[in-house]
Every structure is written in structure tokens, then in C-alpha cells.
Amino acid sequence: QVQVAQSGGGLVQAGGSLRLSCTAGSHVRFTRMSWYRQAPGKQRELVATITGGGSTSYADSVQGRFTISGDNAKNTVYLQMNGLKPEDTAVYHCNAVFAEKVGRNVEEFGYWGRGTQVTVSS
């Protein structure tokens, strides 16, 4: 079982910035790590992903405002959120995926952080 620890978040005014951090406790380097968010009454949304090779991808709603970065030697990723909007208000969850050998096969396993609240006031 891999423990995923998150930090950051909080309350900020519209236009402000916050940074989230996530560290996965494993001696194996991650395959990819992602940030998801879920607002009350809405479905969970994939916000950003970074692969172990450093490739990144973003939801259209945050492109150009959010930046995901990582240190895969430390299994740590960051989500820098600039130009925050009230619609960014949600609980943000970190997900870490590792490739693990199961018998003769390699399978992927995902582990979740507990979530951190981000609230953007107008």
C-alpha cells in the first residue's frame, strides 16, 4: 500500500494563486501522477497529469493557468494554480500510479490522497 500525502490549498480571492503538493511514499518511481477535483454536486474532473518522463496534460478549463511539475526521484508533484476563479473551488485529490510486477505481468495500481479543499471567493 502506497501512502499519498497532500498539502497546500486553502482560501484565496479570485485572481490569486495557490500551490498544491503531493508525495507518494514508494521506493519505486511513479508512472504518472495526476490531480483531480470534485466540486459539490459535480462529477470528478481530471485537472492535470504528469508522466514519469515529464510529459504533461491539462483540462481545457485550466490550460494556461495551472502548471503541474514534478520530481520523480522524490515521487513528488506540484500543482501551481494561478488566476484562480470561483469555479475552481473544489476538493483536489492527488492520484499516483505505479507499475508493479504481478507474477509474470506488469500491472498499474493507483493510489489516492485524502483531498484538500481549495476555495476561491469572488
Side-chain angles (χ1 to χ4, degrees):
Q1 186 71 17
V2 174
Q3 299 298 316
V4 179
Q6 299 181 214
S7 63
L11 173 63
V12 67
Q13 288 188 331
S17 299
L18 287 173
R19 190 171 91 149
L20 306 181
S21 300
C22 173
T23 298
S26 172
H27 66 282
V28 176
R29 294 187 181 184
F30 66 84
T31 298
R32 62 184 178 276
M33 291 180 74
S34 302
W35 289 97
Y36 290 78
R37 67 185 181 187
Q38 188 164 21
K42 294 188 177 181
Q43 289 189 330
R44 186 174 62 194
E45 175 188 21
L46 175 59
V47 176
T49 297
I50 186 167
T51 69
S55 298
T56 60
S57 60
Y58 299 91
D60 289 344
S61 57
V62 306
Q63 183 77 45
R65 299 188 296 122
F66 290 11
T67 301
I68 189 169
S69 60
D71 182 343
N72 60 0
K74 298 180 180 179
N75 280 341
T76 296
V77 296
Y78 307 96
L79 185 67
Q80 178 66 42
M81 304 183 291
N82 299 328
L84 282 161
K85 304 175 181 179
E87 51 263 44
D88 294 317
T89 296
V91 176
Y92 285 70
H93 291 269
C94 178
N95 177 261
V97 175
F98 295 86
E100 301 176 14
K101 192 172 181 181
V102 180
R104 292 188 292 178
N105 300 318
V106 176
E107 298 183 13
E108 291 189 343
F109 294 87
Y111 302 92
W112 290 93
R114 297 180 66 178
T116 187
Q117 178 70 46
V118 170
T119 302
V120 185
S121 62
S122 57

